[in-house]
Amino acid sequence: MRRATLRPDLAVLTMAGLLEARPRVGYFYSGKTPYMLIAEEIRHLKVIEVKSVPVVVMEDVSVYDAIVALFTEDVGTLFIVNSDGYLEGAVSRKDLLKVALGRGDLHKIPVQVVMTRVPNIVTVSGEESVYEAAGKLVEHEVDALPVVEVLAEDGDTERLKVIGRFTKTTVARIFVEMGEGR
Ligand code: ADP
C-alpha cells in the first residue's frame, strides 16, 4: 500500500487513540486497547455534560397529579421538592402503581406520603463521572438519580438543589453514541 493511501487510515487510528504520532518518530502503538480507551472515556465524561432536565413536583401535589405528570413529562421517576425548591424525595412508577391499587382517593393523598425520602435518596453531583453515576444506578437498583448541588449545610442536614437527572436512558444514549464512534 502506498504511503498516501495509508495516511488516512493512520489518522483514524491516531484519532481513536490506538496510535500516537510524533514528529521525526512517526506513528507508534499507544499501548492502549480499545477497552482501555472506552474505560478512559466513561471515567472522564462528567454527569454535567450528559444530564437531562429534571422533572420535579411539589411535595403537596396529589398522587393523581403526580401520575398525570409522569405521563405528560414522559418520565419514570419524579423528584419531589419543597416550597424552597430543595430535594425532599423521589417517586417511581411502582410507588404510584402501589398506591393506585389501594382504596384511597388519589386526589387527596399527597405524593410525599408515598415517596422515598431524603436522606435515603441516592444522588449524584455534576462533577462525578458517568462511570460513577452508572455504578450507583446498578448498586442501588434504581432507574434515576437526581443531579444535585449541595447549597448550604443546615445543621446536619444538607440542602440539595436539583439541577438535572441521570437515568438508565442516559446510559443507553452514551452507549449508542460510543457505538457510533462519537
Ligand atoms: P420502579 O419502582 O418503578 O421499579 P425504581 O427501581 O427506580 O423504579 O425505584 C425503586 C424504589 O426506589 C422506589 O420505591 C423509589 O421511590 C426509590 N427510588 C427511586 N429513585 C431513587 C433514588 N435516586 N434513590 C433512592 N431511592 C430511589
Side-chain angles (χ1 to χ4, degrees), residues 76-77 79 90-95 114-116 120-123 140-146 168:
T77 308
F79 301 123
V91 280
S92 69
R93 278 178 272 234
K94 279 191 216 133
D95 291 333
V114 297
M115 71 185 183
T116 301
N120 295 325
I121 296 294
V122 183
T123 64
H140 298 279
E141 298 180 2
V142 291
D143 292 349
L145 303 173
K168 286 181 176 172

XYZ file of all heavy atoms in Angstrom, residues 76-77 79 90-95 114-116 120-123 140-146 168, ligand 1:
210
model
N -40.068 8.263 34.156
C -40.418 7.155 35.039
C -40.294 7.513 36.508
O -40.856 6.837 37.371
N -39.548 8.574 36.788
C -39.317 8.989 38.182
C -39.522 10.489 38.299
O -39.048 11.253 37.441
C -37.859 8.667 38.603
O -37.583 7.296 38.306
C -37.633 8.915 40.084
N -38.943 13.793 40.850
C -38.261 14.253 42.055
C -39.185 15.233 42.761
O -39.849 16.056 42.124
C -36.916 14.882 41.707
C -36.008 13.910 41.002
C -35.479 14.200 39.755
C -35.739 12.675 41.574
C -34.678 13.282 39.101
C -34.932 11.747 40.928
C -34.402 12.051 39.684
N -38.247 11.166 46.081
C -38.483 10.713 44.700
C -39.632 9.714 44.708
O -39.818 8.985 45.693
C -37.231 10.042 44.142
N -40.405 9.714 43.624
C -41.412 8.645 43.447
C -41.194 7.993 42.090
O -40.932 8.654 41.086
C -42.897 9.103 43.495
C -43.396 9.291 44.891
C -43.181 10.273 42.619
N -41.322 6.670 42.115
C -41.146 5.896 40.888
C -42.518 5.433 40.391
O -43.527 5.577 41.090
C -40.273 4.684 41.175
O -40.978 3.773 41.993
N -42.521 4.839 39.209
C -43.756 4.273 38.646
C -44.420 3.311 39.622
O -45.622 3.370 39.851
C -43.421 3.501 37.366
C -43.274 4.355 36.149
C -42.900 3.496 34.980
N -41.452 3.372 34.939
C -40.713 3.648 33.882
N -41.278 4.037 32.765
N -39.418 3.540 33.916
N -43.588 2.415 40.207
C -44.182 1.379 41.072
C -44.688 1.943 42.399
O -45.674 1.435 42.936
C -43.183 0.248 41.305
C -43.163 -0.722 40.148
C -42.390 -1.980 40.475
C -41.664 -2.458 39.244
N -40.270 -2.794 39.509
N -44.054 3.006 42.905
C -44.574 3.666 44.114
C -46.004 4.132 43.843
O -46.905 3.983 44.680
C -43.748 4.925 44.451
C -42.340 4.607 44.914
O -42.112 3.526 45.459
O -41.460 5.484 44.708
N -46.108 8.833 49.792
C -45.656 7.604 49.128
C -44.207 7.667 48.619
O -43.653 6.660 48.196
C -46.586 7.229 47.948
C -47.977 6.930 48.443
C -46.614 8.319 46.895
N -43.597 8.835 48.705
C -42.244 8.976 48.125
C -41.176 8.340 49.028
O -41.383 8.126 50.211
C -41.914 10.459 47.925
C -41.675 11.210 49.214
S -41.432 12.966 48.911
C -41.099 13.537 50.569
N -40.024 8.073 48.422
C -38.820 7.729 49.186
C -38.181 9.062 49.552
O -38.100 9.965 48.723
C -37.851 6.897 48.324
O -38.530 5.723 47.903
C -36.600 6.508 49.102
N -32.589 9.086 52.207
C -32.456 7.770 51.554
C -32.371 7.869 50.034
O -32.383 6.841 49.355
C -33.646 6.880 51.941
C -33.636 6.563 53.421
O -32.561 6.412 54.009
N -34.802 6.512 54.034
N -32.337 9.089 49.530
C -32.238 9.252 48.079
C -30.762 9.241 47.656
O -29.942 9.960 48.233
C -32.902 10.590 47.638
C -34.410 10.578 47.950
C -32.669 10.857 46.152
C -35.207 9.579 47.162
N -30.497 8.414 46.671
C -29.132 8.352 46.113
C -29.023 9.464 45.073
O -29.856 9.549 44.157
C -28.872 6.979 45.451
C -27.435 6.898 44.952
C -29.174 5.851 46.428
N -28.030 10.318 45.245
C -27.866 11.466 44.343
C -26.499 11.395 43.653
O -25.652 10.581 44.023
C -27.942 12.790 45.128
O -26.849 12.833 46.036
C -29.245 12.927 45.890
N -27.639 0.526 43.637
C -28.836 0.801 44.431
C -30.127 0.356 43.751
O -31.222 0.564 44.282
C -28.895 2.294 44.774
C -27.730 2.740 45.603
N -27.675 2.552 46.964
C -26.564 3.317 45.261
C -26.518 3.014 47.430
N -25.829 3.492 46.405
N -29.988 -0.229 42.559
C -31.136 -0.769 41.823
C -32.254 0.257 41.650
O -33.412 0.005 41.996
C -31.662 -2.041 42.507
C -30.622 -3.143 42.535
C -31.117 -4.420 43.199
O -32.284 -4.464 43.617
O -30.314 -5.354 43.293
N -31.881 1.443 41.174
C -32.882 2.468 40.865
C -32.723 2.880 39.403
O -31.682 2.645 38.793
C -32.757 3.711 41.790
C -33.165 3.359 43.207
C -31.371 4.330 41.744
N -33.790 3.509 38.864
C -33.783 3.899 37.450
C -33.205 5.286 37.223
O -32.766 5.602 36.120
C -35.229 3.899 36.913
C -35.811 2.504 36.839
O -35.042 1.535 36.995
O -37.029 2.379 36.631
N -33.266 6.128 38.259
C -32.891 7.532 38.052
C -32.217 8.125 39.286
O -32.546 7.758 40.422
C -34.145 8.346 37.720
N -31.290 9.027 39.046
C -30.631 9.762 40.134
C -30.857 11.250 39.905
O -30.683 11.724 38.768
C -29.117 9.538 40.114
C -28.571 8.115 40.198
C -27.065 8.139 39.989
C -28.927 7.478 41.528
N -31.210 11.996 40.963
C -31.221 13.450 40.784
C -29.776 13.961 40.770
O -28.955 13.527 41.583
C -31.972 13.950 42.025
C -31.871 12.855 43.035
C -31.636 11.570 42.301
N -31.193 5.518 33.482
C -30.738 4.389 32.661
C -30.763 4.774 31.179
O -29.945 4.301 30.397
C -31.648 3.180 32.906
C -31.401 2.532 34.250
C -32.310 1.326 34.438
C -31.990 0.634 35.749
N -32.972 -0.428 36.047
P -39.673 1.253 39.997
O -40.075 1.189 41.446
O -40.750 1.836 39.149
O -39.155 -0.052 39.502
P -37.071 2.302 40.712
O -36.415 0.940 40.627
O -36.287 3.464 40.235
O -38.445 2.301 39.932
O -37.471 2.578 42.227
C -37.413 1.616 43.242
C -37.628 2.298 44.585
O -36.549 3.176 44.855
C -38.900 3.148 44.669
O -39.520 2.935 45.926
C -38.406 4.604 44.547
O -39.137 5.514 45.350
C -36.992 4.506 45.070
N -36.072 5.402 44.344
C -36.179 5.907 43.082
N -35.103 6.680 42.780
C -34.298 6.646 43.868
C -33.036 7.234 44.194
N -32.386 8.001 43.329
N -32.521 6.997 45.416
C -33.167 6.194 46.311
N -34.356 5.619 46.074
C -34.918 5.837 44.865
